[in-house]
Every structure is written in C-alpha cells, then in structure tokens.
Amino acid sequence: MNVSPSPRRRVSAHRLSVNGGAGPLVEQLAFDADRLGCAVSTGSAGERLIDAGASVMGSLEAGRLLAEICLGGLGEVQIEAGSGLRHHPFALTVRTSQPVIACLGSQYAGWQLTSEDGGGYFSMGSGPARALAGKEAVLDDIAYADRASEAFLVLETGSPPPEELVRRIAEDCGVAPSDLTILYAPTQSLAGTVQIVARVVEVALHKAHVLHFDLSRIVSGMGNAPLPPPHPDFVTAMGRTNDAVIYGGRILLHVTGPASDARDLAEALPSRNSKDYGTPFGEIFRAYEGDFYKIDANLFSPAEVAVVALETGETFRAGGIVEKLVDASFG
C-alpha cells in the first residue's frame, strides 16, 4: 500500500472505558449462568471465574455475550440466518462504531500469559483487561489505555490460570484479585466457537494495522461469518473457526481520506493474498507440523472485503467467499 505509517503516539487514558463497558455484560452472563450453561466460582486468589465451556456445556448465547465482552461493550454481536452459504446458513454478524478501540484495544488476543511456577500454563489474553495492563505495542500504536476499578479478561482455554499468574495479572491491571474476573472457554466449545468467529472484523483491523493504514480513519466496521459446528478435536475445531473467517467471512469498513487509499486497503486485506490460501486451515496447520508461526500471517483475514470511501461515496471490493472450502472444513 502507498499509505505512510502513522507515527507512534503517547498512550493516554480514553473517555471510552472497555472495562466499564464490559461490566454490565459480565454481570448479565454471571446472573444467567445456569440458564446459559456456565459456572461461576471464586479462584484461589479471590478472583471470580466464569467457565463458559470447559467443565460445563456452555451455549451459543454465552459465546455471543463473551464476544461482546471481548469488544469491551463497544460492539454488537448477533447470531442469525444470513451467511449466504447453502449448507451453513447461520452466521455471526458483528457491528462496531468504535472499531479500533473495540477490536485492537480490547478484543485482540495479544497478551501472552505464562506461569512461572513450573506448571507450564500458557494462554493469550483477550478482552478489556489488556487495556489496563498495557503490555502490548499495539496499545501504544493506537494510543489507548483504560482506567477502571474492575478488570475483565477472556481466555481461549480449558482451564483458568494458576494462582501466581492470577496475582500477576491483577497487579498488572492495577486491581485487587477480587476485582478481576476471568472468563474462559476452549476452542472446542459452543461458546468458544462463537467468540472466535466473532473476530471477523478484528482480524481485518489487525491486518490494516500491519499494513500501516492510518487506523484513525476507520470509523465503522461490520462483519459476517458462518457459524461452524464445534468439534471435540482441538485442531479440527481451530480449523473450522479460522476457515469461517478465511473462506467465509465478509467485512465492510467505512474510512475517511483519499479514495485511492480505500481502494488499496480493500485490495490488500482479503485472505486470498496469502501464499497459504486455498486449503482448509486444519490441513495447513498439520502441514506445518503444528507450528502456528510458520503459517503466512496474510492468511488471517476475511475472505471478502468492501471498503467505503466516505469522501467520495465509492465502494471498493476485493476477495470472495469460497463455499466449497467452507463445506470441506465444516463437514
């Protein structure tokens, strides 16, 4: 792209609080835990734990709420008919009028969490707590930090962190462990499936960031991706959730600035630009012997992109849905 990188800006607290926005959604999920197939408990450090699909069944609705929590209350997620695919008609639709903060300031799974007690625990932290801890360069790049008295962390895992890691998370967020809520669900679960596919807009924002597009010019984001069936095998489940976006995902972005930049962004975003494009994700993962970081990063994008240049009213489109690959992945 011929768009110059935006300069790194000093991070300051923003009037939009992703933890504040997520709080009511977390309370709703906790209040309705029995109905939604979730379990609420207190961890050894005093933190609140909400299991949305590890030792419990969870539900699609729990996953929908989990996805909105990941967005810091700055986006809406719906499960509806309308994927455009014959065999997999149900889809997730995501909308946000604060795409940069919602997606990169909250939803993005960018906080590496590793235990130091020899237990080998590892997970990537997602959700509003990231903006309190401020451990990631992307938060500097978008100049966003949060201030809140409670922290909400979402993990794509089958077990919560050990006590020593929980205490470090709380300290990094500047809250007491009792003011930290950790919500978790594995990829193979109903809720995990939903919250992962609901990242269809986030992966586009992240790729736009990698492409050095001025993110302050992205003023609205919408996305849609088919809802895959969960699978008990981790690699198969991971493959399906990724393929839902890579081969079945659509996004619409509204941007300011020159129409030529909108056109270049639309052309650069779709997953078809990856050298690994054209094969179900599970097969790609196995071909690289399970090394996630050997996969071409350009693959992690929606299949079909539309970018509207607000200054001219032009819409630029690129990419396309590949129904046969979605069918091959979903079974």
Side-chain angles (χ1 to χ4, degrees):
M1 294 182 62
N2 58 359
V3 180
S4 300
S6 54
R8 176 167 292 199
R9 295 165 290 180
R10 183 176 62 85
V11 174
S12 59
H14 196 283
R15 61 186 179 84
L16 292 174
S17 170
V18 290
N19 286 275
L25 297 166
V26 174
E27 296 310 317
Q28 180 184 345
L29 181 55
F31 181 81
D32 288 335
D34 290 344
R35 179 176 68 85
L36 299 176
C38 300
V40 182
S41 62
T42 301
S44 56
E47 76 280 12
R48 178 169 57 171
L49 300 171
I50 301 181
D51 180 352
S55 62
V56 293
M57 182 57 68
S59 61
L60 297 176
E61 176 62 10
R64 190 192 69 79
L65 283 169
L66 201 60
E68 291 192 344
I69 290 164
C70 279
L71 288 162
L74 297 177
E76 298 81 42
V77 178
Q78 294 180 326
I79 302 173
E80 55 192 8
S83 72
L85 304 177
R86 290 170 296 170
H87 301 132
H88 308 284
F90 294 96
L92 299 177
T93 299
V94 182
R95 293 185 295 272
T96 174
S97 57
Q98 293 288 338
V100 177
I101 295 176
C103 294
L104 298 184
S106 188
Q107 188 181 29
Y108 177 60
W111 188 7
Q112 293 190 22
L113 301 170
T114 306
S115 63
E116 296 178 348
D117 61 0
Y121 185 92
F122 174 81
S123 185
M124 295 299 293
S126 178
R130 296 175 48 244
L132 290 175
K135 296 290 186 179
E136 304 156 53
V138 67
L139 295 169
D140 291 338
D141 293 341
I142 66 172
Y144 181 69
D146 195 10
R147 290 176 183 165
S149 58
E150 292 183 280
F152 305 104
L153 180 69
V154 178
L155 302 177
E156 180 189 336
T157 181
S159 60
E163 180 178 348
E164 61 87 12
L165 180 53
V166 170
R167 293 189 181 279
R168 277 196 285 120
I169 292 169
E171 182 178 0
D172 287 341
C173 292
V175 300
S178 58
D179 292 321
L180 170 66
T181 299
I182 298 175
L183 308 99
Y184 61 100
T187 308
Q188 302 94 312
S189 66
L190 287 164
T193 297
V194 171
Q195 79 90 4
I196 296 166
V197 176
R199 297 172 183 273
V200 61
V201 177
E202 177 247 287
V203 295
L205 266 290
H206 183 259
K207 190 167 184 180
H209 175 54
V210 172
L211 292 167
H212 302 302
F213 188 83
D214 182 354
L215 297 179
S216 68
R217 291 166 49 191
I218 303 177
V219 300
S220 176
M222 297 178 61
N224 176 278
L227 178 65
H231 196 283
D233 175 70
F234 169 71
V235 174
T236 303
M238 178 177 63
R240 289 178 174 182
T241 55
N242 277 279
D243 290 333
V245 174
I246 293 168
Y247 300 117
R250 299 178 171 95
I251 64 154
L252 171 65
L253 302 178
H254 293 86
V255 305
T256 60
S260 59
D261 287 353
R263 179 196 61 220
D264 291 348
L265 181 63
E267 286 293 328
L269 280 180
S271 55
R272 71 177 184 185
N273 293 312
S274 168
K275 65 181 180 63
D276 289 326
Y277 178 86
T279 303
F281 186 85
E283 295 180 24
I284 297 171
F285 187 76
R286 292 183 177 97
Y288 285 117
E289 300 178 332
D291 189 339
F292 194 86
Y293 295 100
K294 288 183 179 179
I295 301 171
D296 180 17
N298 285 318
L299 186 65
F300 300 103
S301 299
E304 184 174 297
V305 173
V307 180
V308 177
L310 292 173
E311 292 188 5
T312 65
E314 295 173 273
T315 300
F316 301 94
R317 299 177 176 87
I321 301 300
V322 188
E323 188 167 1
K324 67 178 182 179
L325 286 174
V326 175
D327 287 345
S329 176
F330 287 14

